[in-house]
Amino acid sequence: MASSLQCVDCAQQYPIQRVIYSCEACGGLLDVRHDFGDPSIAISPSLFDERLGTFAAPYNSGVWRFKELVYPGVDDSAIVTRMEGNTNLYELPRVASYAGVDSLFLKHEGENPTGSFKDRGMTTGVTQARILGMERVACASTGNTSASMASYAARADMQGIIFLQNQQIALGKLAQGIAFGATCLEINADFDRNMELVRQVSEKLGIYLLNSINPFRLEGQKSIMFEALQQLRWHVPDWIVVPGGNLGNSSAFGKGLLEMIQVGLIDRLPRLAIIQAEGANPLYRHFRDGFRQYEPVNADTIATAIKIGNPVNLQKAIRALEWTSGVVEQVSDQQIMDAKAIIDGVGIGCEPASACSVAGAKKLAERGIIKRGDTVLGILTGHVLKDPEATIGYHADQLPGLSPQHQNVMLQVEDDFDAIVRVLGKRAP
């Protein structure tokens, strides 16, 4: 299959061997485009189902199992993988009841090797860096991207370089970047400014940029949809609900779903709901304004993974909304943390940003947009240990401006057998 880069605005094409992130003609974002018309490759559910459970690389990866849809022309020896993907899909009646729907599935991307969905995009991004002969890769990050990039760069024997803001970085994420040997630059700037800086520095020094403006990142992330639909036995849900920060996932989902229609894996598109935090909601505001006038915001939310005020994938996300008759909703930090407590309480857990999926589904159900009988697929983007400070702060009632509605209070007990028995007796179910 032939692949190329194509501008989403003017359709100008470029070879995939170029180091390029935006269109030279109009400045638009780029897509990786594949020719799925090759008669020698029969793309079908059975092709991907036959690879389930294999130990053979690269198909033991939940990304590269779908190689024909992700990067069909790549040589297996060039692939940089940690057997990412293969994350579980949970059907959770208690969480569904909380959200106000009968059928809710949660796809837990926190079960990836470094604890977030970013590993799916990083396997394709770092693979492309290797193909291009790059020795250094870089990203600006609120935490998850840096953890993933550092890991995959180390696996590929490349230098990883991370631009971090100097506040509100969850230690579970920062620790990974340091542990995996990346060069970490703590800069007195927010994510959006660091994004500008890393693009400028990467161009000047010939470093390969691995933020989600890189179209190869999104090729890996769209495999979340491929795998989720495979787990649903190729039955399409009514809704896909996903947190929205830099809008890479929502952009990738739209592209992946359309490609599944194109090759005949599914026969209809689900509706996409992108959920933003109230304190980081530029897409929501733009959506409410009918996409007339866009304005960035100064982001501020406890959900640090989506604390982004000027998302680079805005136009691709709008395109995904148009394709799927999608909607955008916002949720407060209170709603995020309460939903997180519900998800954590059924034993799977997630980082704060992930809980936007359930908080958003609940809000949309209350508004009557999602119907009780609809089938909802929500995406959990990160592991519960990514931000332990937020979890402890919620249950200890130490988060400013928040009042925990589903609190699990830590009990203080003396070193006394009878006292412990009394306390546990009072706590018996």
Side-chain angles (χ1 to χ4, degrees):
M1 292 184 187
S3 300
S4 62
L5 295 171
Q6 180 173 303
C7 176
V8 301
D9 292 329
C10 73
Q12 178 70 36
Q13 293 194 342
Y14 303 90
I16 60 172
Q17 294 80 13
R18 292 251 342 245
V19 178
I20 183 172
Y21 313 105
S22 57
C23 179
E24 294 174 340
C26 73
L29 298 171
L30 300 178
D31 270 338
V32 181
R33 306 288 292 185
H34 307 299
D35 177 11
F36 296 122
D38 187 341
S40 66
I41 308 263
I43 295 176
S44 67
S46 62
L47 172 67
F48 304 127
D49 290 348
E50 288 168 4
R51 293 172 179 168
L52 281 170
T54 183
F55 294 110
Y59 303 122
N60 54 355
S61 159
V63 173
W64 297 105
R65 179 161 73 249
F66 307 99
K67 180 182 175 184
E68 289 77 8
L69 296 174
V70 172
Y71 199 152
V74 69
D75 190 278
D76 289 354
S77 64
I79 293 173
V80 182
T81 179
R82 288 194 58 192
M83 284 67 75
E84 52 288 313
N86 298 309
T87 60
N88 285 301
L89 185 70
Y90 296 91
E91 186 171 13
L92 301 167
R94 279 171 53 191
V95 182
S97 177
Y98 174 80
V101 297
D102 293 332
S103 181
L104 175 69
F105 297 87
L106 292 180
K107 177 76 168 157
H108 203 334
E109 289 300 294
E111 296 174 353
N112 272 287
T114 74
S116 86
F117 73 91
K118 299 297 177 76
D119 294 344
R120 290 186 184 262
M122 215 53 73
T123 183
T124 45
V126 174
T127 293
Q128 182 64 8
R130 172 181 276 179
I131 291 169
L132 295 170
M134 308 302 291
E135 297 180 350
R136 297 197 288 178
V137 293
C139 69
S141 181
T142 59
N144 283 331
T145 300
S146 63
S148 183
M149 189 204 69
S151 172
Y152 282 78
R155 293 290 297 155
D157 200 24
M158 298 175 188
Q159 181 190 11
I161 302 167
I162 301 168
F163 285 53
L164 294 161
Q165 61 189 39
N166 63 354
Q167 55 185 345
Q168 276 194 294
I169 293 290
L171 293 180
K173 303 172 184 179
L174 177 60
Q176 289 176 286
I178 293 171
F180 296 137
T183 299
C184 300
L185 306 177
E186 193 175 51
I187 299 169
N188 186 25
D190 63 11
F191 172 84
D192 299 298
R193 174 57 181 157
N194 277 335
M195 188 69 235
E196 294 175 8
L197 290 169
V198 75
R199 291 183 69 176
Q200 294 167 3
V201 171
S202 295
E203 182 177 0
K204 176 73 173 178
L205 298 181
I207 301 168
Y208 194 59
L209 182 61
L210 280 173
N211 281 98
S212 59
I213 193 173
N214 185 318
F216 288 93
R217 278 274 314 274
L218 303 191
E219 290 305 287
Q221 287 169 218
K222 72 186 185 183
S223 68
I224 298 172
M225 287 295 97
F226 302 155
E227 188 172 86
L229 269 292
Q230 184 179 38
Q231 289 167 318
L232 290 170
R233 308 314 303 139
W234 307 104
H235 297 304
V236 180
D238 297 298
W239 288 92
I240 307 281
V241 188
V242 59
N246 220 11
L247 305 179
N249 264 347
S250 45
S251 301
F253 292 1
K255 184 174 186 288
L257 289 165
L258 202 67
E259 289 170 346
M260 280 195 278
I261 287 277
Q262 183 181 347
V263 301
L265 289 174
I266 58 176
D267 58 6
R268 68 179 179 90
L269 292 174
R271 296 186 70 184
L272 181 66
I274 303 173
I275 314 301
Q276 294 205 291
E278 283 184 358
N281 63 353
L283 178 65
Y284 172 77
R285 295 184 182 204
H286 199 30
F287 174 77
R288 289 293 300 270
D289 187 48
F291 297 130
R292 286 188 291 272
Q293 184 171 349
Y294 170 72
E295 293 183 4
V297 302
N298 293 318
D300 184 20
T301 174
I302 195 169
T304 56
I306 55 173
K307 186 187 168 187
I308 296 168
N310 191 20
V312 299
N313 286 297
L314 179 74
Q315 293 306 316
K316 286 184 178 180
I318 292 172
R319 180 180 67 172
L321 290 167
E322 291 172 345
W323 286 341
T324 64
S325 300
V327 300
V328 186
E329 186 54 271
Q330 64 174 358
V331 288
S332 67
D333 282 0
Q334 179 75 58
Q335 291 167 323
I336 289 170
M337 293 305 295
D338 286 340
K340 171 176 154 52
I342 297 296
I343 299 164
D344 294 349
V346 298
I348 60 174
C350 65
E351 69 169 336
S354 297
C356 284
S357 294
V358 171
K362 177 178 172 64
K363 193 168 181 180
L364 290 170
E366 289 170 347
R367 292 179 55 198
I369 296 172
I370 291 179
K371 309 301 182 186
R372 175 168 285 278
D374 288 346
T375 300
V376 179
L377 169 62
I379 309 301
L380 302 181
T381 49
H383 194 278
V384 66
L385 293 180
K386 285 287 189 172
D387 194 348
E389 298 93 336
T391 301
I392 297 299
Y394 175 87
H395 291 287
D397 196 9
Q398 294 175 348
L399 298 178
L402 272 68
S403 176
Q405 302 302 301
H406 306 280
Q407 189 176 14
N408 183 15
V409 179
M410 185 176 294
L411 304 176
Q412 304 296 322
V413 188
E414 294 296 326
D415 178 8
D416 179 88
F417 173 82
D418 291 332
I420 293 170
V421 170
R422 283 195 301 272
V423 167
L424 292 179
K426 294 177 182 177
R427 300 279 291 188

